[in-house]
């Protein structure tokens, strides 16, 4: 236990590792007495543990699978063309390697199956903890309650209203406000918000940030939210309906990279120049957005960092008394990667 300015901080494996000058994985191996650790290194670790008064939970440390499960309950079709999930998985995997952990990726069609299989994996000691993401708003309470009742270590990638949930996330209201204001500052005034009709907190938050930026701008600015799947035929129908209804638009803000490509193709088929007639910005970023012409502006959500931070948080949960952990929510920054699709020449 460390005391600073009258505040008590319960020590974790990371505190021990930092003081000993080794990795958290090395500290874990010393505690569990696994692997070949030099006597000098062991002495440093034990000394650091004593200095910060770190007490490992031996019953947990000696009975682990060494596996983290990254779990999603979504229709696979909704994930096609979205690099966010693969980038998150890469971040988790890279962080796991450093701690000698394995990563199991599980994709389920519904929340009931996800909960059942996750509990089974934990009971059979085939997974020590879980990372969840992209959870429907209607499913979130059931998932969180089920995990908490079984004392299963887990971390959410995405925000949660529950202050007792460990999570890593972007600020979706902040980010949506930022990209909408960016388009407004570029001179775009009729911005379509093109989104899948997914009942997720992330979508509600993004709509909130979008509306706030539009309302603050006032004047001749208009807001229009258009729902569509990421399938080309559905996006084409949705944009056709917009044009048939006489709704003017000079920018399209899309929620996924693949949607931005389809939106640009649609604009070009209607002889609308990008970015002069219509600006396009994707709420996610992918390397291939730089390979098309014109290249497409994207919002970098740092998915690999999200994955790495989520792993580190669930790793600490597994190896530390959860009640001792002070920081439960990690919020990461985002940045706009400007490309040709929004480089409009103002008159």
């Amino acid at each position: 236990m460390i005391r600073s300015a009258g505040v008590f901080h319960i020590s974790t494996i990371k505190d021990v590792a930092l003081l000993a000058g080794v990795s958290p994985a090395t500290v874990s191996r010393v505690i569990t007495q696994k692997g070949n650790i030099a006597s000098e290194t062991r002495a440093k670790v034990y000394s650091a543990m004593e200095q910060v008064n770190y007490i490992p939970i031996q019953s947990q440390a000696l009975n682990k699978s060494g596996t983290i499960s990254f779990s999603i309950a979504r229709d696979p079709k909704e994930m096609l063309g979205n690099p966010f999930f693969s980038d998150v998985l890469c971040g988790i995997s890279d962080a796991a390697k450093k701690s000698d952990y394995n990563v199991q990726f599980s994709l389920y069609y519904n929340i009931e199956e996800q909960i059942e299989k996750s509990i089974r994996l934990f009971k059979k000691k085939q997974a020590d903890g879980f990372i969840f993401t992209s959870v429907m708003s209607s499913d979130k309470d059931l998932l969180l309650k089920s995990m908490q009742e079984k004392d299963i270590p887990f971390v959410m990638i995405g925000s949660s209203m529950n202050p007792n949930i460990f999570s890593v996330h972007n600020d979706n209201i902040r980010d949506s406000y930022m990209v909408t204001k960016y388009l407004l500052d570029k001179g775009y005034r009729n911005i379509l918000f093109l989104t899948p009709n997914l009942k997720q907190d992330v979508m509600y938050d993004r709509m909130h940030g979008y509306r706030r930026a539009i309302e603050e701008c006032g004047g001749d600015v208009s807001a229009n939210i258009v729902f569509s799947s990421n399938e080309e035929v559905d996006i084409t129908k949705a944009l056709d309906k917009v044009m048939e209804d006489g709704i003017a638009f000079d920018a399209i803000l899309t929620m996924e990279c693949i949607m931005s490509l389809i939106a640009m193709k649609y604009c070009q088929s209607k002889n609308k120049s990008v970015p002069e007639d219509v600006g396009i910005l994707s709420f996610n970023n992918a390397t291939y957005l730089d390979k098309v012409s014109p290249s497409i502006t994207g919002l970098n959500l740092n998915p690999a960092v999200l994955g790495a931070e989520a792993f580190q948080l669930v790793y600490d949960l597994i190896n530390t008394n959860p009640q001792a952990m002070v920081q439960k929510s990690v919020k990461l920054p985002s940045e706009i990667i400007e490309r040709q699709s929004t480089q409009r020449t103002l008159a």
Side-chain angles (χ1 to χ4, degrees), residues 31-100:
I31 294 171
T32 58
Q33 299 180 12
K34 293 180 179 179
N36 296 318
I37 306 295
S39 58
E40 182 181 350
T41 302
R42 288 182 185 276
K44 287 182 180 179
V45 171
Y46 286 132
S47 175
M49 288 170 61
E50 184 176 354
Q51 289 181 59
V52 300
N53 195 26
Y54 175 73
I55 302 175
I57 305 173
Q58 293 290 349
S59 59
Q60 289 185 3
L62 296 174
N63 196 17
K64 295 197 179 75
S65 67
T67 298
I68 293 292
S69 176
F70 176 44
S71 178
I72 303 176
R74 284 276 294 274
D75 185 333
K77 291 181 180 179
E78 295 175 0
M79 298 175 60
L80 295 176
N82 190 341
F84 177 84
F85 299 105
S86 57
D87 288 345
V88 168
L89 181 57
C90 286
I92 294 172
S93 298
D94 287 344
K97 289 176 185 176
K98 297 174 183 177
S99 297
D100 287 341

